[in-house]
Amino acid sequence: MSRASAPSRGTARDDRHLGYVAAAVVFAIGMAGTTLPTPLYGLYREELGFSELMVTVIFASYAVGVIATLLLVGNHSDAVGRRPVLWTALGLAAASALFFLFEGGLSFLFAGRLLSGFSAGLLSGAGTVTVLELARPERKSRAGFAATAANMGGLGCGPLLSGLLAEYAPRPLALPFLAHLALVGIGCLIVLFLPETVKEPRLLTRPSPPGLYVPPQVRGIFTPSALAAFAGFSLLGLFTAVAPSFVSQTLGITNLAVSGIVVFSLFLSSTVGQSWTSRMAVRVALPLGCLILVVGLLLVGASLWVETLPLLVAGAVCGGIGQGLAFRAGLIAVGEAAPPAHRAATVSSFFVVAYTGISLPVVGVGALTMWVGLDSAGLIFTACVTVLATATGLYLARGPREPVPPV
């Protein structure tokens, strides 16, 4: 792979034995930037003097960016090509890092998170598809896991990298973003040498938003699958937005590297859970994932009640595995049930529900902290999401529903 221009079809086929690994690296680099600020929110609070509610609102602006991108240009790489979209996503990730680097107050933090959401929205579609398309047929299964690992692994590596640098290196609010800018530069170089998998890309094509639509015959499986994804992503949002505050304020541990490791353990476990999905039937993985997620939520709640770090880590690991199992199984179930003509819109709708789960409940936690405190807000959150995950898991465990006839 040694050229900058779009390769010929035959040469692209020869490059695919390494192309999907390189694409997964690019995917991971981009996603790492979206969680990079997680262990640093406490430092921003001290410097700028805002509340826990504002932390969650800043975080939620990221989900707004992701959802808007999925709705407006989620399928745009099908027309303009994968590489231009990957470059755009990396450019947005770099712009996000610059806003955090220059740190000009709350407006800069909001802008940085919003740009990060745009980047993640582009990568969620184009990154996943590029990894899969660059794999040889006999390596499709490995490529699927590579895409999963790049997504969740990248999200986990962000707080791990920033937590370690902020704790043990100088300039804690600058060095993590400088490091990510360097990684983004490497990612741009990798994209330069990736084969283009779209046969006839049209760079000037106007976006055609896929919209939201769930066919009637899919709604029987879509609703519980989407609710399971909502519950699982709520846990991801809780850890990504306010877990460092739990670690520092409730547990009294001010080491930023510990906060980064706790969040990393959740995303690493989600990757493991998603990898297990291929070993069991979807009808088993979906309710089982919900059950394991419930156990994880109960452990997180217990950790806040008795104020102990090991229980919080155990909750992160267990909850991550459950989230990964339920999310990937739900995505497979919805994708297989949707008719080809509406598959993209149905999957986009599934992701919109999931990313709503990563934002709205977390903002609710931030609002509750203003009245009942951080610990009680966390306990109320875990209780509500536990009820949702339990009800969804029990519904799914009843067995398959009869499909609704198409209209």
Side-chain angles (χ1 to χ4, degrees):
M1 299 191 297
S2 59
R3 61 201 172 283
S5 60
S8 66
R9 190 179 306 174
T11 311
R13 188 179 295 123
D14 295 336
D15 285 342
R16 292 189 178 200
H17 68 292
L18 289 179
Y20 83 91
V21 177
V25 171
V26 173
F27 194 0
I29 288 172
M31 297 307 292
T34 67
T35 51
L36 205 64
T38 293
L40 310 178
Y41 286 131
L43 300 179
Y44 287 120
R45 284 186 63 194
E46 293 177 6
E47 185 168 298
L48 301 176
F50 51 79
S51 66
E52 195 66 46
L53 172 60
M54 187 57 65
V55 171
T56 59
V57 173
I58 292 171
F59 171 79
S61 63
Y62 157 79
V64 171
V66 175
I67 292 171
T69 304
L70 289 172
L71 291 177
L72 297 176
V73 291
N75 59 348
H76 200 43
S77 69
D78 292 338
V80 301
R82 312 301 181 203
R83 295 200 305 169
V85 172
L86 291 176
W87 270 319
T88 302
L90 291 174
L92 290 167
S96 171
L98 288 173
F99 270 99
F100 277 98
L101 191 59
F102 290 112
E103 192 194 338
L106 276 176
S107 60
F108 274 56
L109 299 186
F110 273 111
R113 290 303 291 159
L114 191 62
L115 289 169
S116 185
F118 293 155
S119 174
L122 291 176
L123 284 169
S124 295
T128 300
V129 173
T130 303
V131 173
L132 295 175
E133 289 178 341
L134 287 177
R136 290 177 174 175
E138 67 271 16
R139 296 190 177 181
K140 288 296 183 183
S141 178
R142 291 184 183 181
F145 177 70
T148 295
N151 191 345
M152 288 297 169
L155 289 170
C157 286
L160 180 64
L161 173 64
S162 60
L164 291 171
L165 290 177
E167 184 65 33
Y168 300 114
R171 303 186 65 192
L173 292 179
L175 192 57
F177 300 103
L178 290 172
H180 190 246
L181 282 171
L183 290 173
V184 167
I186 294 172
C188 288
L189 287 176
I190 294 174
V191 175
L192 187 67
F193 296 103
L194 286 180
E196 177 58 72
T197 57
V198 175
K199 293 181 180 179
E200 297 179 358
R202 305 178 302 280
L203 293 177
L204 300 181
T205 303
R206 295 180 61 181
S208 55
L212 295 179
Y213 178 67
V214 180
Q217 66 267 35
V218 182
R219 291 171 191 168
I221 189 61
F222 179 91
T223 300
S225 298
L227 287 175
F230 182 96
F233 271 63
S234 296
L235 182 64
L236 297 184
L238 179 75
F239 270 78
T240 311
V242 296
S245 296
F246 289 140
V247 172
S248 61
Q249 297 178 32
T250 300
L251 304 181
I253 300 172
T254 58
N255 188 308
L256 297 178
V258 173
S259 296
I261 291 170
V262 169
V263 180
F264 172 75
S265 66
L266 174 71
F267 286 102
L268 178 63
S269 302
S270 175
T271 304
V272 172
Q274 292 191 46
S275 71
W276 289 355
T277 308
S278 59
R279 304 178 185 179
M280 61 187 76
V282 169
R283 65 178 182 275
V284 174
L286 254 174
L288 179 61
C290 290
L291 173 62
I292 298 175
L293 176 62
V294 167
V295 175
L297 287 163
L298 292 174
L299 289 171
V300 171
S303 74
L304 300 177
W305 185 264
V306 302
E307 300 183 0
T308 175
L309 180 63
L311 274 179
L312 182 63
V313 174
V317 171
C318 194
I321 290 173
Q323 184 273 335
L325 264 175
F327 172 69
R328 192 172 182 191
L331 184 60
I332 292 171
V334 168
E336 289 180 347
H342 300 293
R343 185 164 292 145
T346 306
V347 171
S348 294
S349 302
F350 181 83
F351 273 103
V352 167
V353 174
Y355 275 99
T356 301
I358 211 173
S359 55
L360 288 183
V362 175
V363 175
V365 171
L368 281 172
T369 61
M370 307 294 290
W371 288 279
V372 300
L374 186 61
D375 293 1
S376 297
L379 288 170
I380 293 171
F381 167 89
T382 54
C384 292
V385 181
T386 297
V387 170
L388 175 61
T390 301
T392 304
L394 291 175
Y395 177 82
L396 288 164
R398 291 171 52 198
R401 314 272 83 76
E402 289 298 324
V404 178
V407 294

